[in-house]
Amino acid sequence: MRGRWRLLVAAPILMAAMLAAQPGSTSAMRNRPSEEAVEAVDSAKAYIARHDLRSARVELLNAGKLAPDWPEVRLLLADVALGLFDPVTAQEQLQKAAELGVERRRYVHLLAHAQWMDGAPQKAIDTLTEGDVAAGNLPYAYRILGRAQMDVGDTVAAGESFDKGLAIAPNDSLLWTETARLRLVVANRGGAFDALDRAIAIDPQNIRALELKGRLIRDRFGMVAALPWFERGLQIDPNDVPLLEEYGATLGEAGRYTDMLAQARKILQLDTKNAKAFFMQAVIAARAGQFGLARRLSERVGGAFGELPAPQMLRAVCDYELGNPNQAVEILQRLNAQNPRNESIAVLLARTLYKTGDQATAWQVVAPLAMRSDSGTYVQRLAARILEAQNDREGAAQFLDRAAFANAHAGAVVTAPMAGAQNNVPQIAAMLADNRIGEAGNAAAALLTGNQGVAQAQLIAGDVEWAGGNIPAALQAYERARALHFTRAVLLRLVNAYRASGNAEGASEALAAYVAYNPADNVSARLMGFDLMDRRQWAAALPWLLLVRSRTGLNDSALNANIARVLSEMGRHDDAVHMARLAYRADPASLMTTRTYGNVLLKAKRDMRSARALLRKASKLAPLDAAIGREYRAALAATG
């Protein structure tokens, strides 16, 4: 801090407001307030106690008209305005309070809060550290100072500020909430949960704590698990806009788009320019194929939120679908430069560049992704199309071959954990990539010291154990990561570790838990279907696969092939043949679609010559695969 606060004794604003008119008080009015003004303030206090800040604001505005020289009304109005996320009004009211003679030390914490909320964190820091703060307002002031320090990137100073505030007021629920937020920023999720539990135990009606708890639960368990926390907060204040934003976004992620739309409309009734509400509406319009409407709505997604990757990508997708790929490229190139590790942006940029005819640039973007050993089928085929457009048919054929074998076996649900994938400890990942397992183990152990509550630390520690062949230890680390932040990356590792340890039921349980909390996640729904296929529970697997197809469309050849296999095993041969034919026509070079189509025809005893030809082709594609060899010999025997 550049300045030092002097401890000045003063009553908090909310306690002093009704005492301001006493004779001899430094905050006495020039004229005693009317009975109507006092009643309006009393009514405002009652509304504040019920978390109805909008009604409180109306009463205080009335009080201000009835008693324009009553400074405490101005202070209360500023306080309520901050609760309604209106820093402009707060600063206006504080200026009026100052003009009425209120000492700066009594409202400096509110002024800093308004400055921070208005996007000037350094100004808020200067305000608090260069002036006096009344002793009764110090916990509040330390809370705002810590938030401002977080915004300028000084998490160490922020932690010190929160600690100082808690030393004065150890049962300040809002200070514990901000402590949790700081711990979340530094990836200490376990510590964040502990702080939030403390905040909610102190004040079960702390809406900001309930909102943050919902966000943490959403990250830890999934969308559905988070909804009750947001709903609990909305029972306290149905009109809290940030809470409505989180609730609406979570409903959308859970696939409840009608409910999300209802929340977006409610938000716009309260805040007619709310960027997140317009974004929710734009997403729904885009999902319905109404890209013109989605683009118009996206233009209303402004402010800092509008510059985030998700709204920008939505605009680019709309431009692409509306036949304006050059506009989409402009957006995506900027996003790709700002987010070089975001694969979704890079893939969309490469696809859009391909459509504009700029194949050289498209290849530069897609090549690093396509050459990775874990690149998906779509990326490989996109790379092949780009190379083919440049007349590099040999290079295109190589990527088509990789794509053809990518889904050769339906049972190969997931691959082994990739060291360093999706974590923030690249040094250890690099050690694993270089096979320096012992060195990586030492580094992981050091990382875990003091970071047991950090999910990414547990995840990389599990990867180190996996690389060293210690599957039980890897599984334990992945389970600890799951308890902190149950992401898709954690899920994939858990499934592999459970299967490698011979515990198929454990793998299935992890999948079921993840899908239950993330019903809109297509990847986990697909894996759930594949898992049920592996257990030969065909009737249970089919709805999951059909659900994914209903969301992703009819052109996923691998998905269609798996659906065909399930239908065949269920004895629904006509449907199985139809689906297998769709899969094969979409991707005749794929080993999976070729093999599946041949086997479906063989089992249905339909067009046996075609079945034999298809399985012969499959055996040539994979001459060392014993299972495919047996299937081809069965087709030969069936056709004589």
Side-chain angles (χ1 to χ4, degrees):
M1 292 184 192
R2 293 195 297 274
R4 182 180 179 182
W5 295 344
R6 293 189 294 274
L7 300 183
L8 302 173
V9 179
I13 285 176
L14 291 179
M15 295 178 61
M18 298 301 101
L19 303 176
Q22 294 182 6
S25 170
T26 57
S27 58
M29 300 176 303
R30 298 166 190 168
N31 298 299
R32 185 175 298 278
S34 66
E35 184 177 344
E36 292 84 354
V38 173
E39 288 178 356
V41 171
D42 285 340
S43 179
K45 289 177 64 182
Y47 280 124
I48 291 171
R50 296 198 297 269
H51 296 273
D52 187 353
L53 298 184
R54 284 175 169 77
S55 296
R57 178 174 57 186
V58 172
E59 294 289 354
L60 289 170
L61 288 172
N62 290 333
K65 292 177 182 178
L66 294 167
D69 294 334
W70 194 358
E72 301 302 335
V73 172
R74 303 302 172 186
L75 295 177
L76 275 172
L77 264 171
D79 208 356
V80 168
L82 290 170
L84 293 171
F85 306 95
D86 182 2
V88 175
T89 297
Q91 291 181 80
E92 290 173 352
Q93 294 300 322
L94 292 175
Q95 178 61 36
K96 291 179 181 179
E99 292 170 358
L100 292 171
V102 177
E103 293 177 282
R104 182 179 173 89
R105 64 179 186 172
R106 291 189 55 205
Y107 65 79
V108 66
H109 60 300
L110 297 176
L111 177 60
H113 192 168
Q115 292 167 338
W116 165 73
M117 190 179 288
D118 204 25
Q122 188 57 55
K123 191 174 182 179
I125 293 170
D126 294 342
T127 295
L128 288 171
T129 57
E130 293 176 354
D132 298 330
V133 178
N137 299 326
L138 278 173
Y140 189 128
Y142 275 122
R143 173 165 57 87
I144 300 306
L145 179 61
R147 284 303 304 270
Q149 288 165 333
M150 285 172 61
D151 279 6
V152 299
D154 194 345
T155 55
V156 174
E160 293 174 351
S161 294
F162 295 145
D163 288 344
K164 290 176 181 177
L166 288 171
I168 301 169
N171 291 322
D172 189 313
S173 180
L174 289 174
L175 267 170
W176 279 110
T177 303
E178 299 311 327
T179 298
R181 201 182 309 276
L182 174 63
R183 291 176 181 177
L184 182 61
V185 167
V186 298
N188 183 1
R189 291 182 177 272
F193 270 105
D194 292 341
L196 274 180
D197 289 342
R198 181 75 176 270
I200 294 171
I202 293 169
D203 180 8
Q205 292 195 318
N206 180 342
I207 292 176
R208 299 282 72 82
L210 294 172
E211 176 198 344
L212 188 56
K213 185 67 176 280
R215 289 170 51 192
L216 283 173
I217 291 293
R218 183 174 60 195
D219 290 342
R220 182 174 181 178
F221 294 115
M223 305 302 154
V224 176
L227 293 175
W229 289 94
F230 299 135
E231 290 163 355
R232 181 174 163 185
L234 289 171
Q235 288 175 352
I236 298 168
D237 184 358
N239 297 321
D240 187 86
V241 171
L243 199 54
L244 287 167
E245 291 172 347
E246 292 293 339
Y247 185 48
T250 306
L251 286 168
E253 290 292 333
R256 293 170 54 180
Y257 298 106
T258 301
D259 292 335
M260 179 175 77
L261 181 59
Q263 300 306 313
R265 288 171 175 165
K266 183 174 182 179
I267 292 169
L268 289 173
Q269 289 176 352
L270 299 167
D271 179 3
T272 57
K273 297 181 180 180
N274 189 279
K276 292 183 181 179
F278 284 123
F279 177 66
M280 293 179 202
Q281 292 183 328
V283 168
I284 292 172
R287 286 185 60 84
Q290 300 179 28
F291 294 104
L293 174 59
R295 189 63 175 87
R296 290 193 296 275
L297 287 168
S298 71
E299 290 172 358
R300 305 185 72 175
V301 182
F305 178 77
E307 297 302 315
L308 294 177
Q312 292 289 317
M313 284 186 70
L314 177 61
R315 291 173 192 165
V317 168
C318 290
D319 285 334
Y320 180 92
E321 295 292 343
L322 292 170
N324 301 313
N326 289 322
Q327 289 181 222
V329 165
E330 183 179 345
I331 295 172
L332 292 168
Q333 284 181 327
R334 182 177 66 253
L335 280 177
N336 192 49
Q338 296 169 350
N339 306 272
R341 296 184 179 181
N342 189 314
E343 183 174 335
S344 297
I345 294 173
V347 171
L348 185 57
L349 174 58
R351 187 182 76 175
T352 309
L353 287 164
Y354 169 76
K355 188 171 184 177
T356 66
D358 188 354
Q359 311 304 341
T361 307
W363 174 247
Q364 291 176 1
V365 174
V366 81
L369 302 176
M371 291 179 179
R372 280 173 24 186
S373 60
D374 66 317
S375 62
T377 302
Y378 179 82
V379 172
Q380 293 163 5
R381 289 177 180 161
L382 177 60
R385 290 201 300 270
I386 293 170
L387 288 174
E388 189 175 29
Q390 297 182 81
N391 293 319
D392 186 353
R393 298 187 180 277
E394 183 177 345
Q398 292 177 0
F399 283 103
L400 286 174
D401 287 344
R402 286 182 59 189
F405 283 86
N407 291 299
H409 302 284
V413 178
V414 290
T415 60
M418 288 174 44
Q422 300 184 20
N423 64 63
N424 60 356
V425 283
Q427 300 91 338
I428 300 176
M431 295 174 192
L432 289 177
D434 293 339
N435 203 33
R436 293 148 51 196
I437 297 174
E439 188 177 349
N442 293 333
L447 176 68
L448 285 174
T449 302
N451 290 291
Q452 291 290 330
V454 180
Q456 295 296 344
Q458 297 290 355
L459 204 61
I460 194 66
D463 288 351
V464 171
E465 297 291 356
W466 179 281
N470 190 345
I471 304 304
L475 182 56
Q476 290 177 1
Y478 295 149
E479 279 291 0
R480 288 193 292 269
R482 173 188 183 179
L484 295 166
H485 195 188
F486 195 12
T487 63
R488 189 189 297 165
V490 174
L491 171 67
L492 299 182
R493 287 164 165 83
L494 275 174
V495 169
N496 280 312
Y498 272 119
R499 288 183 173 175
S501 63
N503 186 353
E505 289 302 317
S508 298
E509 182 278 328
L511 263 174
Y514 188 86
V515 171
Y517 287 127
N518 298 275
D521 186 87
N522 289 333
V523 172
S524 59
R526 184 190 295 253
L527 296 184
M528 190 68 181
F530 289 171
D531 181 69
L532 291 165
M533 288 177 65
D534 287 346
R535 289 186 279 155
R536 305 187 68 79
Q537 296 183 20
W538 310 113
L542 183 60
W544 289 102
L545 300 178
L546 292 177
L547 175 65
V548 175
R549 193 183 67 171
S550 71
R551 294 170 175 170
T552 60
L554 302 176
N555 297 322
D556 188 326
S557 60
L559 181 60
N560 286 336
N562 278 296
I563 293 173
R565 180 186 168 198
V566 170
L567 291 168
S568 180
E569 293 291 347
M570 294 174 66
R572 294 173 54 179
H573 297 299
D574 290 342
D575 293 335
V577 169
H578 172 70
M579 196 59 58
R581 185 184 299 117
L582 284 179
Y584 181 73
R585 286 178 177 174
D587 192 3
S590 166
L591 170 61
M592 183 183 189
T593 61
T594 303
R595 180 187 182 186
T596 300
Y597 192 16
N599 275 321
V600 166
L601 289 173
L602 183 64
K603 191 166 185 177
K605 298 181 180 179
R606 312 273 177 86
D607 194 358
M608 300 302 285
R609 289 187 178 180
S610 293
R612 182 181 64 188
L614 287 164
L615 290 172
R616 179 173 180 270
K617 177 182 175 181
S619 68
K620 288 187 174 181
L621 287 171
L624 301 179
D625 192 307
I628 295 176
R630 288 193 298 271
E631 292 161 2
Y632 176 46
R633 289 192 293 274
L636 286 173
T639 56

